[in-house]
Amino acid sequence: MAVNINTVYQRVLALANKEQRGYITPQEFNLFANLAQVDIFEQYFYDLNRVMNIPGNDTQVADVDEIIKDKIQIFEREDNNTILNTDWGYNAFTGSYNTIPQYVHRILNVVVGSKLCEILKTNDYLMRSDGPRLTRPTLDRPIANIRNNTLRVVAGDGGVTQANNVSYIRRPEQVSWGYVVVNEKALYDSNPLKTVNFELHASEESELVYKILKLAGMTLKAQDVVQIGQSLEQTQIQQEKQ
């Protein structure tokens, strides 16, 4: 499902016509590649929100909805109790909260024991935590809140507790076109210690090429390259909307 980074690099070089306009270094490409990947990843959530609010043909909207969800699903993960106790969550020994790791983009579900937490906004969380006994969280109805990059959980009379499981959407890994230098020329090295491919869905290969091409054109000060990237990207967007 991943996109091969060397395939994208070679296509970008070919479209940029490097012999006439200049060379895109591996360092520049890796920078552009990561910017493009994050841009596409972030756009998924805006697109999903947009299609969910489109009135009209439910079947058509549902198809687009499923396509976007399939792309996001690649990044869905779960951290169990062992990871939460060591890396993030509530630290019972210090009575403090560890910050949510940078690799977490969005929390989906929080589980205490076998019960799904109701994730509340801060005001509602505070009112329920300290409110009348009838509305307070219980072991069967735990609540959670995300604030100041920390995850807080309350279940039952024991008060603050630790989640047993958290499902979330992880941010994409940093990509890297690995290489070795031979005769002062960078040659592709597929060694996994050096090369990290794109994690995006395979269908995003062309989108990556066009976005990177635009960024490369700015660096090469080649407006025509920027325009090529913009034109190809816009054509693809129009095709996806049809």
Side-chain angles (χ1 to χ4, degrees), residues 40-184:
I40 293 172
F41 173 77
E42 295 283 357
Q43 190 62 42
Y44 289 156
F45 303 96
Y46 294 108
D47 290 343
L48 184 60
N49 181 67
R50 176 177 56 83
V51 299
M52 294 286 285
N53 290 289
I54 293 178
N57 190 325
D58 292 338
T59 303
Q60 183 179 2
V61 171
D63 289 341
V64 178
D65 174 28
E66 291 303 316
I67 290 172
I68 299 173
K69 286 180 178 179
D70 285 344
K71 293 179 178 181
I72 294 175
Q73 192 175 34
I74 295 172
F75 301 95
E76 291 185 7
R77 297 290 187 277
E78 288 186 358
D79 280 358
N80 59 27
N81 192 52
T82 302
I83 298 174
L84 293 169
N85 280 331
T86 56
D87 292 346
W88 58 298
Y90 180 68
N91 188 322
F93 294 101
T94 62
S96 61
Y97 297 93
N98 296 320
T99 57
I100 298 171
Q102 290 187 346
Y103 60 76
V104 177
H105 175 73
R106 180 175 298 181
I107 291 176
L108 301 175
N109 292 308
V110 180
V111 174
V112 174
S114 60
K115 302 299 181 180
L116 192 65
C117 289
E118 182 181 1
I119 301 178
L120 302 173
K121 294 181 179 179
T122 299
N123 286 341
D124 294 334
Y125 173 84
L126 294 174
M127 288 178 62
R128 287 277 299 277
S129 298
D130 300 324
R133 178 169 291 276
L134 288 177
T135 62
R136 287 181 192 173
T138 66
L139 294 176
D140 290 327
R141 294 185 292 109
I143 62 174
N145 170 251
I146 302 165
R147 184 186 183 190
N148 295 331
N149 203 34
T150 60
L151 173 65
R152 303 186 291 178
V153 178
V154 175
D157 293 333
V160 176
T161 186
Q162 173 64 283
N164 295 106
N165 183 282
V166 177
S167 60
Y168 58 92
I169 297 172
R170 180 178 58 77
R171 299 181 189 277
E173 297 282 356
Q174 289 273 311
V175 299
S176 176
W177 186 81
Y179 63 95
V180 292
V181 178
V182 179
N183 296 326
E184 299 183 354

Side-chain angles (χ1 to χ4, degrees), residues 30-42:
N30 285 336
L31 174 62
F32 301 153
N34 280 292
L35 288 172
Q37 178 170 244
V38 169
D39 189 27
I40 293 172
F41 173 77
E42 295 283 357

Side-chain angles (χ1 to χ4, degrees), residues 14-33:
L15 288 169
N17 193 4
K18 65 179 186 295
E19 287 78 10
Q20 295 182 20
R21 297 188 178 91
Y23 182 68
I24 304 168
T25 68
Q27 293 85 355
E28 290 171 333
F29 173 79
N30 285 336
L31 174 62
F32 301 153

